[in-house]
Amino acid sequence: MPEAAPELPPGCQLRPAQAGDVPALHALHEAVLAALPDPSLFRLFGGAESFFQTHCGQRGESWVVAQGGQLLGYAALTLPMAEDADNYALNLGWPAERARRVGLLSAAMVRPRQRQQGLHRALIRQRLLRAQALGLPELLARAAPANALSRQGLMSQGLAIVWLGEQAGGLQRHVYWRRSAAPVAGRVAIWLAADDTAGQQAALAQGWLGLRSGAGRIGYGPPEVCSPDS
């Protein structure tokens, strides 16, 4: 069943990002970084300038949430090549044929004062709709293990944790997965602390997925639908 259209607070508009938005996107990015306890929790691949410029058509597509001329949120759907360093499929060991057909839910940002209003969820839904329209079979996303807001938003839309480790640059990240048209479902067998790296990696090694997000913890268990290795 197709994803429902995103819902936004009154007065907000969700639209494709434009080249003229880049200065405002830099301001949004700076506001997001300033509110983080650790700037390494959020990093745009290749740097902000390169990311914003190349995700207006060359490497993917971007959307913004605007209200009264101010940008409140931003997110991109990256369309990577199989061998690109920021293709999270490399962490999963996927073959090139599969890796080149994946879409990445990347760079989601919401202005700190506008969080908890459903903007992040709306940006996820918009990219799910676009991925289906493009015929992308699978989606991946990443977030720092300490980024509880991103984890909650991604898992609420049917993405599951399939990998935990260090990516390029030594950043520790969760990688999330779902089929474009099918949220991941499963039964939670054990709850692990969000910072319990060894416990989560052990659960992932036995084929379990991170299925639920709780207060400072993640529920792992066997999936009820096809796994990311099928």
Side-chain angles (χ1 to χ4, degrees), residues 45-85:
F45 182 80
E49 182 67 29
S50 173
F51 193 96
F52 294 142
Q53 293 288 353
T54 59
H55 281 74
C56 287
Q58 183 178 341
R59 293 198 73 240
E61 302 178 6
S62 299
W63 291 268
V64 297
V65 177
Q67 184 182 51
Q70 184 182 39
L71 296 190
L72 306 185
Y74 167 85
L77 176 65
T78 300
L79 306 174
M81 300 293 287
E83 67 277 7
D84 285 351

Side-chain angles (χ1 to χ4, degrees), residues 3-29:
E3 297 287 336
E7 295 183 5
L8 293 169
C12 290
Q13 176 193 16
L14 178 64
R15 61 167 174 79
Q18 304 164 358
D21 292 321
V22 170
L25 288 173
H26 280 290
L28 172 62
H29 181 235

